[in-house]
Amino acid sequence: MNQRIKAIIIDDSIQFCKVLELLLLRHKDIELVGIANTFKDGKNLIEKYVPELLFLDVELDESDGFSLLKSIESDISKCIYTTIVSSHQKYVINSLRESCFDFLHKPVDAEELGEVISRFKVLKQNRKDNINVPLKGDKRLCISTVKGFIFTEISGVGYFEYDKIKKNWYVYLSGNEILYLKKSTNSEQITGLTDNFVQINKTQIINIAYLAGIENTHCIMHIPFLSVKHLTISQSNLKKLVHEFKSV
C-alpha cells in the first residue's frame, strides 16, 4: 500500500481552511495532518510534521507566507512542495521567485486543486525515478493557462502545440497532462521563455532537452515522451534545430 501524502494548510481564514479541508478529503491519498491560522502555529506545524505538500496563504496575521518560508530551516523547506493560495494574482511572480511549486487562486476550484495534486504526484514520481535530461540550466517557469497559472520546471515540459480548431496553444507535460495556454499566447512568447524551447514548424515547439534524434524529419524523443511520434520538422526549421541539438 502506497504511503499517503502528508499535507498542511496555513491560512488566517478559518472558513477557507474548512472549505479546502473538505476538498482535500476527496483525495484519499492525501493525509491532512494539520491546519494553522497564524504564522507561529504554522511554523510549528511544519517543523513538527515536515509535510510534502503545503497550502500556504500569503497574507497572515503578523507577517506573510513568504516570510514564513524563509524562516524555516533549509533542510526542511527543500523537502516541501509549497502551493501559494491567494485571491490576488499579483503574488504569482513572488511565488515563482521563492521557488514555490504552484499557485491556487481563491476561491479554490475543485478541478484546479485536483490538477495541482496531479502535477505534484508526477513531479514526485519523476524525482523518485531520477528522470533527468541534459538541460541548459533547469529553472522554474510560470506559464499562463486558460484557468490561471502553473509553475513547472523546464524538465516538466515536453512540447507545445497549436490547436487549429480551438485556435490556441497547449502544453504537453510529463505525466501526459495537457493544459491550454492563455488565448493571447503566441509562439514567440513560448520560445522566449528559455533556449530549450525550439520551434520545429508553425504549430509545434519542442523541449530540445528531450530530443534523442531525428528520423525522416520526425523527432525521436527521450522518456517520458518516447511515445510521442507526431512531432515533424519543417525544412525551414531543420537547419536551426540540428544546430540547437548539437549544443545540448
Side-chain angles (χ1 to χ4, degrees):
M1 184 177 178
N2 293 330
Q3 188 175 3
R4 297 174 73 193
I5 300 164
K6 291 191 295 183
I8 283 177
I9 301 171
I10 302 176
D11 195 295
D12 60 359
S13 169
I14 296 175
Q15 182 179 2
F16 173 78
C17 289
K18 290 180 179 179
V19 171
L20 185 54
E21 179 181 10
L22 290 174
L23 291 175
L24 288 173
L25 285 174
R26 301 179 186 181
H27 300 270
K28 303 302 181 183
D29 47 357
I30 301 292
E31 179 187 6
L32 184 60
V33 296
I35 297 175
N37 304 120
T38 67
F39 181 103
K40 182 179 179 180
D41 290 345
K43 183 178 180 180
N44 289 339
L45 271 182
I46 290 172
E47 292 175 345
K48 179 179 179 180
Y49 292 106
V50 189
E52 292 180 90
L53 200 51
L54 171 64
F55 296 94
L56 178 63
D57 186 20
V58 176
E59 299 173 347
L60 297 174
D61 55 336
E62 58 208 47
S63 188
D64 62 86
F66 298 122
S67 296
L68 175 57
L69 288 177
K70 292 176 181 177
S71 72
I72 302 169
E73 294 293 334
S74 61
D75 60 336
I76 295 178
S77 62
K78 69 182 180 182
C79 301
I80 301 172
Y81 294 82
T82 302
T83 296
I84 294 296
V85 185
S86 177
S87 58
H88 304 291
Q89 291 190 351
K90 64 182 180 181
Y91 293 121
V92 170
I93 299 302
N94 284 342
S95 300
L96 182 62
R97 287 171 179 165
E98 296 299 327
S99 298
C100 294
F101 164 66
D102 220 320
F103 184 93
L104 270 176
H105 190 271
K106 291 182 180 179
V108 173
D109 177 77
E111 183 179 353
E112 186 180 1
L113 174 63
E115 291 172 353
V116 168
I117 293 173
S118 294
R119 284 194 288 273
F120 163 75
K121 291 177 182 177
V122 169
L123 182 58
K124 179 182 177 183
Q125 187 61 47
N126 284 352
R127 290 186 172 180
K128 180 180 179 182
D129 294 340
N130 293 317
I131 295 176
N132 295 309
V133 291
L135 293 177
K136 304 174 185 175
D138 204 0
K139 66 177 183 179
R140 301 279 285 169
L141 301 174
C142 177
I143 300 177
S144 298
T145 71
V146 293
K147 293 184 178 181
F149 301 90
I150 63 163
F151 296 125
T152 181
E153 294 169 342
I154 298 173
S155 57
V157 176
Y159 65 90
F160 299 83
E161 187 162 6
Y162 186 76
D163 188 322
K164 294 180 180 179
I165 297 176
K166 294 188 177 182
K167 296 183 178 180
N168 68 318
W169 288 86
Y170 66 80
V171 58
Y172 190 89
L173 303 172
S174 58
N176 303 318
E177 183 178 12
I178 292 176
L179 295 175
Y180 278 86
L181 308 187
K182 187 173 62 175
K183 280 280 188 179
S184 59
T185 305
N186 58 46
S187 59
E188 289 78 15
Q189 290 172 320
I190 295 172
T191 55
L193 288 170
T194 168
D195 290 341
N196 283 90
F197 297 162
V198 177
Q199 189 154 10
I200 58 173
N201 58 55
K202 290 182 178 180
T203 62
Q204 293 177 333
I205 296 170
I206 66 168
N207 183 348
I208 198 173
Y210 285 110
L211 183 61
I214 302 169
E215 185 176 303
N216 297 325
T217 71
H218 289 277
C219 293
I220 309 301
M221 305 294 280
H222 281 295
I223 294 173
F225 304 103
L226 190 61
S227 62
V228 178
K229 306 293 184 183
H230 70 292
L231 300 174
T232 305
I233 313 164
S234 68
Q235 288 298 322
S236 60
N237 287 286
L238 180 58
K239 185 175 181 180
K240 179 181 178 182
L241 182 63
V242 172
H243 172 73
E244 292 290 336
F245 181 57
K246 288 179 180 178
S247 67
V248 170

